[in-house]
Amino acid sequence: MITLIKRPTPSRGWAFATPVLAVLATMIAGGFLFAALGKDPVAAIKVIFWDPLLGPNAAYFRGQLLVKAGPLILIASGLAVGFRAGIWNIGAEGQYIMGALAGASVALAAYPAESHLLFPAMVIAGALGGWIWGMIPAVLKVLFGTSEILVSLMLVYVAQNFLAYAAFGPLKNPEGFGFPGSRNLQQYPSAHNPELIAGSGMHWGVVAALIAVIATYVLMQRHILGFRIRVAGEAPRAARFAGVLPARLVMFCLGLSGALAGLAGLFEVAGPNGQITDSFNAGYGFTAIIVAFLGRLNAIGILLAGLLMALTYIGGDMAQLMLGLPTAAIQVFQGMLLFFLLGFDLLTHYRFRLGRARA
């Protein structure tokens, strides 16, 4: 008989080993999945993890790694702060969409203005759009005790409808021959978020992601507010006795994660994506949840996890083109990471014992 024994304190060794084991288990289980689909599992794993970094066209794909990792790291950094406090923002995808809509609206309202102030105004609008969308579940939780998980998640679908309305309505390109979608911001110099170094994939969104990693590290490890956030997540009653105000913490964490998700949306619509369309949302807000947990809710871990998840995005696209793998198989493969991470995370808090449980 196998018995689970709770550890007095979480195991630091297992905490560091869990992400590595989760990645290895995902590769093995993914290999079985690809084999069941009639594909060579070794070739599929190689295409996903090896070819984007060291394959024939790796010079191009290494730049794309930063393009994909930037929004994931930016969103996950904000989510991790709330998760550490036990505040669960599951609606970052909606905040990402609303940030993109707010920033693009500022640019298109000023079209065809030529001003160096336009892009900073878009950045402020993007952060504000995501912040407002994140504050809706925060206010409802503080005033009425609603679940931030359900409210933030449901708001994703509201944001998607706003996105479709904007693409077919007020933001629709008047010179687009009736097709849905806004003007292409890549062709609008004042509103464009270009590569800072040609071919590197480095744009202002990537810079913002790196700043967010540093800022959240300082916040959580070197600031009294970070200490209060950690205490609130680990010992809520003790946090209240220590003077931590739960309402302020909810407002701060949901507002911060919403603002960072909105920034990610703005940098994406002004850069790699280029325009508002009804299919603009790429699932970054949901994938960032996996990145946050894969990175152990730690700033440096999130940086590495974001790069790893971006690698699966790029490698997954390559596998679809080169091996004919279906999109759903790649999505299942990415979901396996979170599944195995949560499974192995059990070993951080519990240990197994063989034999009959003691009374």
Side-chain angles (χ1 to χ4, degrees), residues 102-103 106 116-126 266:
V106 169
H116 295 298
L117 298 177
L118 181 58
F119 189 71
M122 291 169 60
V123 172
I124 295 171
L266 176 277

Side-chain angles (χ1 to χ4, degrees), residues 37-109:
L37 294 172
K39 308 298 181 182
D40 182 350
V42 176
I45 297 299
K46 176 179 176 294
V47 168
I48 293 173
F49 288 101
W50 179 267
D51 287 356
L53 296 177
L54 299 169
N57 299 310
Y60 169 76
F61 290 114
R62 281 195 291 266
Q64 289 300 301
L65 194 66
L66 292 180
V67 172
K68 296 290 187 184
L72 292 174
I73 295 170
L74 192 54
I75 299 171
S77 296
L79 293 179
V81 173
F83 292 168
R84 291 288 290 272
I87 300 166
W88 306 98
N89 178 9
I90 309 299
E93 183 75 2
Q95 295 142 26
Y96 168 86
I97 292 171
M98 297 308 290
L101 284 174
S105 296
V106 169
L108 295 171

Side-chain angles (χ1 to χ4, degrees), residues 64-285:
Q64 289 300 301
L65 194 66
L66 292 180
V67 172
K68 296 290 187 184
L72 292 174
I73 295 170
L74 192 54
I75 299 171
S77 296
L79 293 179
V81 173
F83 292 168
R84 291 288 290 272
I87 300 166
W88 306 98
N89 178 9
I90 309 299
E93 183 75 2
Q95 295 142 26
Y96 168 86
I97 292 171
M98 297 308 290
L101 284 174
S105 296
V106 169
L108 295 171
Y111 183 85
E114 296 182 5
S115 171
H116 295 298
L117 298 177
L118 181 58
F119 189 71
M122 291 169 60
V123 172
I124 295 171
L128 187 60
W131 179 82
I132 291 173
W133 214 244
M135 289 302 289
I136 295 174
V139 172
L140 291 176
K141 181 177 179 66
V142 169
L143 293 183
F144 305 108
T146 59
S147 168
E148 75 277 16
I149 298 175
L150 294 177
V151 175
S152 62
L153 181 59
M154 292 300 101
L155 283 173
V156 173
Y157 302 102
V158 179
Q160 288 174 344
N161 281 289
F162 271 117
L163 178 67
Y165 168 72
F168 283 88
L171 298 187
K172 184 178 177 181
N173 184 0
E175 300 172 2
F177 303 101
F179 290 98
S182 69
R183 296 180 185 274
N184 194 328
L185 299 184
Q186 293 177 346
Q187 300 169 5
Y188 184 4
S190 297
H192 182 37
N193 175 29
E195 283 188 327
L196 301 177
I197 303 173
S200 68
M202 175 76 73
H203 56 72
W204 285 113
V206 178
V207 174
L210 295 176
I211 293 173
V213 167
I214 296 170
T216 52
Y217 176 83
V218 172
L219 170 67
M220 298 305 295
Q221 304 298 328
R222 296 289 185 267
H223 198 278
I224 185 62
L225 178 58
F227 171 76
R228 290 174 177 171
I229 288 171
R230 296 199 308 273
V231 171
E234 296 170 7
R237 292 188 64 189
R240 290 190 186 94
F241 284 120
V244 176
L245 299 176
R248 290 186 181 179
L249 212 57
V250 168
M251 303 284 274
F252 173 79
C253 291
L254 287 173
L256 176 65
S257 57
L260 292 183
L263 281 176
L266 176 277
F267 288 125
E268 189 70 13
V269 75
N273 195 291
Q275 64 179 149
I276 292 292
T277 64
D278 58 333
S279 59
F280 168 76
N281 54 310
Y284 283 136

